[in-house]
Amino acid sequence: MSKPSDLVQGTLDLLILKMLALEPLNGWAIGQRLKQVSADVLQVSDGSLYPALHKLEQEGWVTAEWRSSENNRRAKFYALTRAGRKQLQLEATNWNRLARAITAVVRLQEV
Amino acid sequence: MSPDIRIERLLRVIPLRIRSLFRSADVERELDEELRYHVDQQTAANVAAGMAADAARTAALRAFGGIELRKEQVRDTRGTRWLEDGLGDVRFALRSLGRARGFAVAVVLTLGLGIGANTAMFTLLRGTMLKALPNRHGDRLVYLRLSATGEHQTNTLFSVPEVADFRSSSKTLEEIAEYSDVMPFTLVGSDTHMVRADVAVISGNFFRVMGLDAVVGRLTDAHDDGAAASPVAVLSSHYWMDHFGGDPAVLGQVVKLNGMATRIVGVVEPAPQYPNPVDVYVNTVTSPHHLGATMNTLRTHRMTEVFARLAPGATVDQARTEVSSIAARMIRDHPDAYQKASHYAVTMSTLRDAENARARLTFWLLMGAAVFVLLIACANVSNLTLMRGLGREREMLVRTALGARAARLRRLLLMENLVLALSGGALGVLIAFAGLKLLILFAAQFSPRSGEIHVDAVVLAVGLATSVAAAVVLSYVPRIGGDGGLASSLAPTSRRTTLGAGRRRLQRSLVAVQVAACMVLLTGAGLLVRTLSNLHAVSTGVRVDHVLTMSLPLGGDLLKEVMNLPANLARYERMRTVVAALPGVTSVALGSGEPLRTSMMAFDIKAEHQPTRPDAPTPRAGLVTVDPGYLEAIGVPRLAGRDFATTDQRGTTRVVILSKSFARQLFGTENPIGRRIAPTGEVLKVTPFTGDWRTVVGVVGDTHNDGLDGDVSPMMYEPFAQEVIISAALVVRTQSDPDQMKAAVLRTLRSNFPSQLIEQVATVAEIRDESVATRRLNAMFIASFGALALLIAAVGIAGVLAFSVRSRTAEIGIRMSLGADAVRVRRMVLGEGAGVLAAGLAVGAAGALFTSRLLSGFLFGITPHDPGTLAGVAALIGGIGVAACWLPAARAAQVDPATALRAE
């Protein structure tokens, strides 16, 4: 079992929301897309997506629908809601602010 | 976030939550399908990447992290988690309890009995002692008492001049009310039927002082005092209900009290009646004697009781001090009224303390006993839970390995224990409810407040709290984590180490505690039971079998009736003749009172030519008038001289017979026959009795009129025909069972003398039993608690030992295969049981010695440290304990070593 770094786990919500902002996906597909886009850097443990997804659903930021997928099997597809879009903006802003701050510290000249 | 987005969000979330609550099966199925889809997709991808089918699936599952785990995590995210969990836990608890029905029943029963006993006692305490008085500002009410040493003088009551002293001098007592219930009254209502009623003559301000209100009509006030007022009556609430049907039309009705027309003006609210139950309250004009000169001027004519209300700002202690100083001054100023040797004193108590005095010790004692029973019950339930928890340790370990957190498992156990404890609590409350009537009957013997006992919200809350507390404690008894982990527990040799040494010690000490508590309870019960039998052995001094008695009071206005002596005498003698003619009657006799009842009259006596010692209290005796044959009929032995004869009539020499102890008190060792005595004292001025010299003609045996545990009563007997008649009683000696004669005698009397009141028809055996009735009830209650405790403890011992044997089957098998025979094994098990018993008995004996001292006020003829009782109880508990061990020991001896070892 590959353990994702704590940082990735903490930003899982942000990652999922962004993925769903592009298009509605099921859990399996989200995991695949993340691996693709990040060139395998972001190793999200497959199973840990689901608690996160369901939590987002409970909060009302994503909505779910059963559709038949590519191989004619039923799968649960998640899509972003309006509230979810707002939450994505919020989290993205927070992330950027955090990243800038960390970068500023790292860039400090060592004596 | 803008409001419409918020609303949209809510509209999405709420249906979701509702669905997960009510359609949980569907939700679970969908979750399963969703996760399986992912794993299948990953498996397909692995296969496409070149893995073999099996390996692909395994890899997918491993990467996923465990489907069940993820499911749990998803479930955790749901907001309704705690509720679903709760309901699920309850369902789980019910299921697992259903599998262990014996255990569940044992626990619920045990807890139910323990909690039931405590709820019952708490209900009792709350109704009678813990609640404030229903009177307005009831804690400001006090009761005064004048007492002296001597016969019938623990409460001599007050005289009107004495009350006036307190009223005029006291600053701490705002208002004083008077109450007098010693006059006998008859009541004739609209149905012209004469009945006896308990009537209290009160001052107009009585109800205001006592802080009571009217239910209908009005209560008395200052206008009802004095000779100019018209006679009015206020009914007590229970009398209004019982005799007038609770009808408000009773207002304005006129009844005849002792022949005087009295108007009913109101009904007072229900309240505890102290010192005696009262049917009707009347003002002083209704009782002519209360208006008379002797009543109002004679300091020694004491018929009044005093209730008072503290002045605002005054404390009880201040009032007590002031009352003492007023009393001291009063005694100093009027030495004739307070004989020095009698040590008159005035005490004051709050009304609440006075009402509770009789009950206090008994009720707290019983509460203690109930707590003991609960202790034993809890110890038992703990043991049962320990044993069951042990069997489930493996289950718990497996659950932990599957991902359940310790807290979650403990919550599971808590739910299970809550179900058990609440069921036990509910059963307990039901038991308390069911026994409520019995409880109130019991309490009425001790406290005037028994009418206030009912199961109310507070009591239920206490029962609930006890149950929940029990459940919480029990949840922490079994271990969740398990030492050594899953692997060692699942190992084949694990059974031998299932019960750690610490736990076994805990189990054994719980059993020892139970045994000790039983010992304490049963020793108390044993002492009380032996007191009862000691009392029964006391000779009353009279014949107890085959004697029927009844009271035949004078009706109408007592003062007038007393003057009617010849007519009354003739009438009573006719009654005697009529009853004597009945078949089955051996003899009939007349007297002023029934045997074994305290006589109405008591006098100070002086003896002729006998010097009185100034420092000794004046000899005092009860007076009973009897006709010839009375003393023989009731079996009082004649010790000297003669009985009365028909020649002892009015007009002939006055004669008297003394009881043995009184004769000795008057004359010492000298022969009393032929000596003369006479009543003396101020009280003669207000009674129809005279101070004439009477000649002693006989001495008879002593009787116990004051209860079997009291001293013998000093008595003087006079001829019925010679003395004033203020009351009468009939004594009937029967051939066979006196109970059966009751109906025949009553029928004869009623048909021949329809207007005669007949009361208190009882056999002498019943009168004797009355005096021990309270003690019997007491003993019964505590003995029941003790028996209950013993039952629970016996089950506890047997259970623990049986369990120990079961868990040591392998060990026993080894021992037997190494050469131990059945006898050795049985002895080993019995020894284990006996050890625990012995420890418990030792601790229990110490505890019993300590607590039995509290009982000393209840005992008669036996000390609290009586070794016989202790030994007997120890033997009983020991015997039952060993019997309880027998079956497990026998089972142990039957263990077949081969199968035991193979059963791993």
Side-chain angles (χ1 to χ4, degrees):
Chain A
M1 194 187 317
S2 56
K3 270 198 155 77
S5 67
D6 290 336
L7 199 58
V8 175
Q9 204 60 21
T11 55
L12 200 50
D13 286 358
L14 175 59
L15 298 172
I16 293 176
L17 285 173
K18 185 63 185 189
M19 286 290 116
L20 293 178
L22 304 176
E23 61 170 321
L25 294 168
N26 64 50
W28 155 253
I30 293 176
Q32 292 301 102
R33 241 10 114 69
L34 275 176
K35 285 209 195 94
Q36 263 176 7
V37 167
S38 70
D40 268 349
V41 170
L42 296 178
Q43 300 269 357
V44 176
S45 159
D46 292 357
S48 65
L49 274 175
Y50 289 95
L53 272 169
H54 278 257
K55 189 171 121 250
L56 292 174
E57 190 188 5
Q58 295 283 321
E59 296 283 348
W61 294 328
V62 304
T63 182
E65 186 184 35
W66 283 89
R67 293 217 293 259
S68 69
S69 69
E70 21 190 75
N71 48 2
N72 253 339
R73 273 191 65 174
R74 244 167 58 104
K76 203 172 178 189
F77 279 78
Y78 295 85
L80 209 57
T81 66
R82 281 207 296 166
R85 223 168 271 280
K86 276 267 170 351
Q87 182 68 12
L88 172 59
Q89 272 173 13
L90 195 67
E91 298 220 8
T93 314
N94 285 342
W95 170 256
N96 284 328
R97 205 183 308 137
L98 183 64
R100 274 201 301 276
I102 293 178
T103 313
V105 169
V106 165
R107 283 235 184 96
L108 288 173
Q109 293 291 359
E110 290 166 21
V111 180
Chain B
M1 218 176 285
S2 61
D4 54 341
I5 295 185
R6 273 218 195 95
I7 293 173
E8 188 187 312
R9 194 179 140 216
L10 269 174
L11 285 175
R12 209 180 297 280
V13 169
I14 291 178
L16 210 60
R17 305 238 169 145
I18 294 179
R19 187 160 183 264
S20 67
L21 203 53
F22 290 102
R23 285 249 172 280
S24 49
D26 291 343
V27 169
E28 286 296 315
R29 202 169 18 88
E30 282 181 6
L31 181 60
D32 186 65
E33 197 175 338
E34 186 182 3
L35 299 188
R36 275 193 201 290
Y37 174 81
H38 183 116
V39 171
D40 291 345
Q41 290 291 92
Q42 184 66 41
T43 309
N46 288 348
V47 165
M51 282 197 212
D54 287 342
R57 185 151 203 96
T58 318
L61 277 171
R62 210 181 313 127
F64 196 68
I67 290 191
E68 291 305 319
L69 179 64
R70 297 304 181 190
K71 277 193 193 168
E72 269 296 302
Q73 287 175 341
V74 166
R75 287 189 207 120
D76 275 342
T77 66
R78 296 210 194 111
T80 50
R81 194 59 212 265
W82 63 271
L83 187 59
E84 287 169 16
D85 279 354
L87 289 174
D89 285 351
V90 171
R91 258 181 303 207
F92 176 82
L94 289 173
R95 255 207 322 269
S96 78
L97 284 177
R99 261 179 279 134
R101 248 179 291 244
F103 165 80
V105 166
V107 170
V108 170
L109 259 180
T110 311
L111 276 180
L113 288 170
I115 294 180
N118 277 275
T119 308
M121 289 317 305
F122 184 70
T123 311
L124 203 64
L125 275 179
R126 184 164 158 70
T128 55
M129 305 199 51
L130 298 179
K131 262 204 290 219
L133 289 177
N135 310 52
R136 215 174 323 134
H137 301 303
D139 50 330
R140 310 284 296 164
L141 288 174
V142 296
Y143 176 79
L144 270 66
R145 175 196 297 256
L146 176 65
S147 61
T149 57
E151 180 72 8
H152 294 174
Q153 295 197 299
T154 40
N155 187 358
T156 65
L157 308 189
F158 290 94
S159 63
V160 171
E162 285 169 340
V163 178
D165 279 350
F166 283 99
R167 192 177 268 134
S168 60
S169 315
S170 172
K171 294 192 191 42
T172 55
L173 297 175
E174 173 183 61
E175 201 171 348
I176 292 183
E178 292 155 53
Y179 166 105
S180 175
D181 66 7
V182 291
M183 288 283 290
F185 270 85
T186 57
L187 183 146
V188 178
S190 49
D191 56 355
T192 66
H193 209 61
M194 182 183 289
V195 291
R196 179 72 75 94
D198 293 322
V199 173
V201 181
I202 53 171
S203 54
N205 64 354
F206 178 78
F207 293 110
R208 189 175 67 234
V209 168
M210 295 294 272
L212 296 174
D213 293 321
V215 169
V216 289
R218 71 166 181 92
L219 299 174
T220 58
D221 56 27
H223 297 295
D224 298 302
D225 284 329
S230 52
V232 296
V234 171
L235 301 179
S236 69
S237 187
H238 65 84
Y239 197 69
W240 180 49
M241 286 298 174
D242 293 340
H243 286 80
F244 292 90
D247 186 4
V250 76
L251 290 184
Q253 263 188 47
V254 172
V255 294
K256 285 221 165 113
L257 288 169
N258 276 0
M260 174 168 310
T262 314
R263 181 182 310 271
I264 299 177
V265 296
V267 178
V268 68
E269 62 176 308
Q273 296 185 316
Y274 182 81
N276 296 311
V278 174
D279 295 328
V280 185
Y281 298 88
V282 297
N283 57 350
T284 43
V285 74
T286 315
S287 172
H289 183 80
H290 276 79
L291 291 174
T294 47
M295 177 82 183
N296 288 290
T297 59
L298 203 55
R299 184 165 282 268
T300 49
H301 187 48
R302 301 188 172 108
M303 283 179 43
T304 308
E305 302 188 62
V306 174
F307 295 86
R309 184 172 281 280
L310 291 175
T315 67
V316 172
D317 290 324
Q318 286 172 347
R320 195 172 276 134
T321 321
E322 191 189 49
V323 161
S324 297
S325 65
I326 295 177
R329 193 178 26 193
M330 188 173 76
I331 292 175
R332 201 181 49 233
D333 290 347
H334 304 274
D336 321 317
Y338 306 99
Q339 197 199 20
K340 227 166 160 263
S342 294
H343 305 293
Y344 281 84
V346 176
T347 49
M348 187 189 93
S349 51
T350 61
L351 184 61
R352 189 161 162 189
D353 286 345
E355 288 182 5
N356 285 337
R358 273 186 78 201
R360 188 178 301 126
L361 193 56
T362 307
F363 288 177
W364 281 113
L365 218 61
L366 286 176
M367 184 86 223
V371 168
F372 262 108
V373 170
L374 186 62
L375 209 70
I376 295 178
C378 282
N380 222 23
V381 170
S382 300
N383 257 338
L384 286 171
T385 314
L386 258 178
M387 300 193 295
R388 175 167 148 77
L390 190 61
R392 302 177 69 197
E393 256 184 8
R394 203 173 293 187
E395 174 195 341
M396 291 299 156
L397 283 170
V398 171
R399 281 183 190 269
T400 315
L402 284 177
R405 296 186 304 281
R408 178 86 178 79
L409 287 175
R410 216 174 271 294
R411 221 168 60 211
L412 215 67
L413 273 176
L414 179 63
M415 189 57 67
E416 207 178 289
N417 288 324
L418 261 179
V419 168
L420 281 174
L422 286 176
S423 312
L427 180 65
V429 170
L430 271 173
I431 293 178
F433 251 113
L436 200 61
K437 273 228 169 68
L438 189 66
L439 219 60
I440 294 180
L441 266 172
F442 172 73
Q445 306 263 347
F446 295 92
S447 169
R449 299 187 68 182
S450 59
E452 294 174 63
I453 297 174
H454 53 266
V455 179
D456 62 3
V458 171
V459 169
L460 287 175
V462 165
L464 191 69
T466 323
S467 314
V468 171
V472 169
V473 165
L474 289 176
S475 303
Y476 280 84
V477 165
R479 262 188 322 211
I480 296 287
D483 49 337
L486 186 58
S488 71
S489 152
L490 288 174
T493 52
S494 67
R495 288 218 187 137
R496 241 181 297 128
T497 56
T498 42
L499 194 54
R503 291 284 212 80
R504 283 181 79 170
R505 216 177 305 137
L506 176 64
Q507 273 199 314
R508 289 221 199 95
S509 19
L510 281 174
V511 172
V513 163
Q514 286 180 313
V515 170
C518 270
M519 177 105 186
V520 172
L521 262 181
L522 284 174
T523 307
L527 286 172
L528 288 176
V529 167
R530 282 188 71 174
T531 296
L532 265 185
S533 75
N534 284 351
L535 281 174
H536 268 283
V538 167
S539 167
T540 54
V542 306
R543 174 179 296 119
V544 170
D545 318 305
H546 299 297
V547 182
L548 181 64
T549 86
M550 61 203 71
S551 170
L552 304 169
L554 295 174
D557 185 355
L558 197 63
L559 295 178
K560 279 210 215 86
E561 280 300 317
V562 167
M563 299 303 151
N564 220 352
L565 187 54
N568 288 335
L569 180 60
R571 188 174 70 245
Y572 283 126
E573 286 182 341
R574 266 204 317 277
M575 286 186 210
R576 181 179 60 196
T577 319
V578 156
V579 174
L582 287 175
V585 169
T586 317
S587 62
V588 188
L590 281 172
S592 63
E594 304 107 295
L596 291 187
R597 292 212 195 275
T598 33
S599 54
M600 256 175 75
M601 303 148 300
F603 294 102
D604 293 337
I605 303 291
K606 66 182 179 204
E608 206 181 34
H609 308 313
Q610 197 78 358
T612 49
R613 299 207 323 265
D615 54 335
T618 319
R620 212 175 148 79
L623 169 66
V624 175
T625 62
V626 295
D627 69 1
Y630 179 104
L631 290 171
E632 204 215 306
I634 65 171
V636 175
R638 184 161 74 236
L639 301 175
R642 67 170 180 85
D643 194 2
F644 296 135
T646 45
T647 50
D648 297 311
Q649 288 288 337
R650 245 199 136 74
T652 63
T653 322
R654 301 205 65 162
V655 289
V656 72
I657 291 177
L658 304 179
S659 69
K660 184 170 106 177
S661 61
F662 190 57
R664 189 148 14 121
Q665 189 184 1
L666 283 178
F667 298 110
T669 48
E670 299 168 16
N671 184 10
I673 311 285
R675 305 286 296 268
R676 302 212 295 175
I677 66 168
T680 167
E682 299 273 314
V683 69
L684 289 177
K685 295 190 191 147
V686 294
T687 66
F689 297 90
T690 63
D692 300 337
W693 290 107
R694 289 113 157 119
T695 314
V696 179
V697 295
V699 177
V700 293
D702 286 314
T703 59
H704 280 92
N705 291 3
D706 232 346
L708 291 170
D709 50 346
D711 291 328
V712 289
S713 321
M715 300 292 295
M716 55 184 270
Y717 301 95
E718 290 191 26
F720 188 75
Q722 226 180 40
E723 186 54 275
V724 169
I725 298 176
I726 64 172
S727 63
L730 209 61
V731 160
V732 182
R733 200 157 145 212
T734 61
Q735 263 167 10
S736 56
D737 184 11
D739 251 316
Q740 292 171 346
M741 291 298 305
K742 275 184 192 171
V745 172
L746 285 175
R747 211 180 12 245
T748 297
L749 281 176
R750 287 217 176 102
S751 61
N752 285 301
F753 306 93
S755 61
Q756 173 64 49
L757 257 179
I758 307 174
E759 295 197 324
Q760 300 194 315
V761 181
T763 65
V764 174
E766 284 166 359
I767 300 180
R768 188 208 45 191
D769 288 342
E770 262 172 36
S771 65
V772 295
T774 354
R775 284 174 196 270
R776 187 182 301 129
L777 260 176
N778 245 353
M780 248 170 50
F781 253 82
I782 296 204
S784 314
F785 280 146
L788 200 63
L790 193 58
L791 180 68
I792 299 177
V795 167
I797 297 177
V800 165
L801 222 58
F803 180 75
S804 161
V805 164
R806 211 164 1 119
S807 61
R808 291 163 74 191
T809 317
E811 175 195 338
I812 295 175
I814 291 180
R815 280 180 194 265
M816 291 185 90
S817 63
L818 284 178
D821 61 351
V823 174
R824 283 274 286 278
V825 168
R826 194 162 41 221
R827 212 183 303 150
M828 176 183 90
V829 175
L830 278 178
E832 186 182 331
V836 176
L837 266 177
L841 286 175
V843 174
L849 283 173
F850 185 67
T851 53
S852 296
R853 254 184 295 152
L854 295 168
L855 283 177
S856 36
F858 292 87
L859 301 180
F860 176 77
I862 193 170
T863 65
H865 299 160
D866 181 53
T869 314
L870 270 172
V873 169
L876 174 68
I877 299 181
I880 293 193
V882 168
C885 296
W886 201 260
L887 192 56
R891 280 253 190 83
Q894 285 169 5
V895 165
D896 176 18
T899 42
L901 289 171
R902 219 181 300 135
E904 294 298 327

